Amino acid sequence: ARGQSGRQHTMDQEYFDRIAAMDYALAHDDGQSARSYDDADVILIGVSRSSKTPTCIYLANRGIKAANVPIVPGCPLPPELFTVRGPLVVGLTKDANQLIQIRRNRLQMIAKDEETNYVDANSVREEVAQARRLCSDHNWPVLDVTRRSIEETAAAIIQLLQDHRDKQDVAAGAGQAQPG
């Protein structure tokens, strides 16, 4: 070992890309900064407690600019979500029963009353169904994160993102092809 600072974490372009992605994820958490969604690599949407934020942070640590948008009953989604051109939009969903349990635990942690639609079984099932329909209507892929770790979810998103980029490259190449 040498007493030279900075050797463990090289400040190269990859490092700065990761920091930029982290800044992006934090600035675009929970539906914020919708005007710059086109700068994202991926936008995660999903109902409350479907691991959107931690997944975005994990992706950002891999250098992927990730935004997330909550699907909240009665609240419109940002219009910019429906006009993005480059980013991949991915829906995250979870089993309603597990979601209810997680939400109940969350309410207990913040000492809130449990008599709310946030944990009502019928409301939560409808919320999950509406989120799935939204994704289906817009041809956005959906990942069920019920039995997935953040790392497994991120790996699936990274694969979807690579497939998305490959399709964009093919489409761009087809648009540039000259008749010969």
Side-chain angles (χ1 to χ4, degrees):
R2 293 187 196 161
Q4 184 179 359
S5 63
R7 287 186 50 125
Q8 183 179 7
H9 301 287
T10 306
M11 289 190 178
D12 57 5
Q13 189 58 47
E14 182 182 323
Y15 168 81
F16 289 109
D17 290 345
R18 281 195 336 265
I19 296 302
M22 193 67 70
D23 287 341
Y24 188 89
L26 294 172
H28 294 82
D29 185 41
D30 240 6
Q32 297 180 78
S33 305
R35 281 178 265 138
S36 55
Y37 282 167
D38 268 318
D39 296 335
D41 295 312
V42 66
I43 302 171
L44 304 182
I45 64 169
V47 298
S48 176
R49 316 308 321 157
S50 59
S51 303
K52 296 177 301 297
T53 297
T55 303
C56 283
I57 298 299
Y58 185 90
L59 290 168
N61 199 40
R62 302 291 218 105
I64 296 170
K65 289 184 179 178
N68 78 75
V69 179
I71 299 173
V72 180
C75 293
L77 291 167
E80 294 86 351
L81 181 64
F82 302 101
T83 60
V84 293
R85 295 272 182 230
L88 171 67
V89 179
V90 178
L92 301 183
T93 190
K94 190 173 270 202
D95 173 71
N97 293 326
Q98 187 183 37
L99 200 53
I100 292 165
Q101 188 58 47
I102 291 168
R103 289 178 175 188
R104 279 196 178 118
N105 292 341
R106 170 91 168 132
L107 288 176
Q108 287 174 350
M109 282 177 35
I110 60 174
K112 292 285 184 183
D113 180 24
E114 286 192 35
E115 296 303 317
T116 171
N117 283 348
Y118 188 64
V119 292
D120 176 72
N122 290 330
S123 296
V124 173
R125 281 198 249 318
E126 181 55 29
E127 192 179 336
V128 170
Q130 285 178 353
R132 284 183 174 276
R133 278 193 299 274
L134 172 72
C135 291
S136 177
D137 290 348
H138 294 280
N139 295 317
W140 295 330
V142 176
L143 293 175
D144 187 334
V145 299
T146 303
R147 290 175 181 81
R148 290 184 197 235
S149 66
I150 300 299
E151 296 84 358
E152 290 170 323
T153 300
I157 292 167
I158 291 168
Q159 183 59 58
L160 287 169
L161 181 59
Q162 186 58 53
D163 295 346
H164 176 73
R165 287 175 172 165
D166 290 347
K167 286 178 188 173
Q168 285 181 319
D169 289 346
V170 168
Q176 294 177 6
Q178 301 291 325

